[in-house]
Amino acid sequence: HVQLVESGGGSVQAGGSMTLSCQASGYIFSTYCLGWFRQAPGKEREAVAVVARDGSTTYSDSVKGRFTISQDNAKNTLYLQMDSLKPEDTAMYYCGAVLPRPGIPCDYYTDYRRYNIWGQGTQVTVS
């Protein structure tokens, strides 16, 4: 049973940086699609960045060039480095995982509704 625990959220001024971490309960990077998602009050959850099993990454247009998703296999940890933060980045950030169906690439799993394993979330506030 895979479990995810996020950490690293908090408050930061616009233009600042922050790193989020997602600790997985086991080694899942070679078999699961993983991603960072966010949900602002009154808005639908959206994908921020997704990493495939081969390490390739996909970013939403709103964070491309500012956010970087990465993983440390030895620590079973997924990271989200956020730079040049803007007030519109304020949201609850979630780490998500899904075991893809055979033959289906992680590119298919950019919609949050296709993920079935979630962490508890960590709040990021940019002012």
Side-chain angles (χ1 to χ4, degrees):
H1 180 62
V2 176
Q3 291 183 311
L4 305 173
V5 178
E6 301 97 334
S7 61
S11 297
V12 65
Q13 290 189 333
S17 298
M18 184 179 289
T19 301
L20 304 182
S21 300
C22 174
Q23 176 74 53
S25 58
Y27 183 71
I28 61 174
F29 296 138
S30 64
T31 54
Y32 283 71
C33 300
L34 300 165
W36 284 99
F37 301 78
R38 67 186 181 188
Q39 188 167 16
K43 294 189 176 181
E44 192 173 39
R45 191 170 298 191
E46 62 175 356
V48 173
V50 174
V51 59
R53 290 165 291 179
D54 63 359
S56 59
T57 57
T58 304
Y59 296 92
S60 68
D61 289 341
S62 61
V63 307
K64 199 172 294 182
R66 299 189 298 121
F67 290 12
T68 304
I69 188 171
S70 63
Q71 59 194 57
D72 186 328
N73 294 346
K75 296 182 178 180
N76 294 334
T77 302
L78 186 72
Y79 300 100
L80 184 68
Q81 174 66 40
M82 305 183 293
D83 299 317
S84 301
L85 283 160
K86 304 175 181 180
E88 50 263 43
D89 294 318
T90 295
M92 184 71 80
Y93 283 70
Y94 297 91
C95 176
V98 61
L99 184 63
R101 290 181 288 169
I104 304 299
C106 287
D107 289 353
Y108 174 78
Y109 295 93
T110 55
D111 189 325
Y112 76 92
R113 286 164 288 199
R114 294 180 174 147
Y115 283 70
N116 55 6
I117 301 171
W118 295 98
Q120 82 287 355
T122 185
Q123 177 68 37
V124 173
T125 302
V126 185
S127 59

